[in-house]
Amino acid sequence: MLDITRSSIFLMAKSVDPSKVVLSNATATAIKQLQSQLEEKANLTQQYFQKGLNELIRAILKFLNIPNYDDAKISQTWTRATVQNTLEQAQALNQVAQFSSDETIAKANPFVSDWKEELAARKKQLVDDGYSNDNALKLGNDDE
């Protein structure tokens, strides 16, 4: 009876029973899949909170006699942390690197916190060996 009750609790809560999950070598994708129902529940909860916060903000604006409080655009930013496997991300990024711009690669790099700094650092690292297209164009312009 206890096992049925325990299973029902996790089923109704859309959660994962940690006693039945072995995560020793699970990939981030497998863990995300385990948590998919919980993520769905979080999305629904977020929708209710967003609606409630919008109503609260509009009530405050009305109380403060702000004109057109009903038409005010309210923007909310919500973030949730998920399990990520940076090795998998880096490998996927490496596979598409030749088809993507440096900016896209820097933005998606899981090991980079500031992609603009990363692009600047990469630019500094480039070695001017005299054979780049820019130098060839400079030489061509000087000869004319």
Side-chain angles (χ1 to χ4, degrees), residues 26-64:
T27 64
T29 306
I31 294 170
K32 282 181 187 178
Q33 193 169 7
L34 281 173
Q35 296 177 338
S36 63
Q37 287 186 331
L38 190 59
E39 181 66 22
E40 180 184 329
K41 184 178 176 181
N43 282 332
L44 288 172
T45 304
Q46 178 180 330
Q47 289 174 14
Y48 289 122
F49 271 93
Q50 282 179 320
K51 184 179 177 188
L53 284 173
N54 282 344
E55 289 177 13
L56 175 64
I57 291 169
R58 290 191 196 289
I60 293 169
L61 293 175
K62 183 179 180 180
F63 176 78
L64 296 174

Side-chain angles (χ1 to χ4, degrees), residues 64-123:
L64 296 174
N65 294 321
I66 304 293
N68 300 326
Y69 67 90
D70 268 341
D71 299 330
K73 183 174 180 350
I74 299 170
S75 177
Q76 297 182 31
T77 303
W78 293 69
T79 56
R80 285 194 294 276
T82 60
V83 175
Q84 295 186 4
N85 185 334
T86 52
L87 177 61
E88 286 178 3
Q89 287 179 311
Q91 288 171 340
L93 193 59
N94 187 38
Q95 290 177 350
V96 298
Q98 63 185 5
F99 307 110
S100 302
S101 69
D102 288 344
E103 182 177 322
T104 301
I105 299 298
K107 285 180 180 178
N109 189 336
F111 303 110
V112 172
S113 57
D114 184 354
W115 65 271
K116 290 180 182 178
E117 266 185 35
E118 176 66 13
L119 284 178
R122 286 200 58 197
K123 203 172 204 179

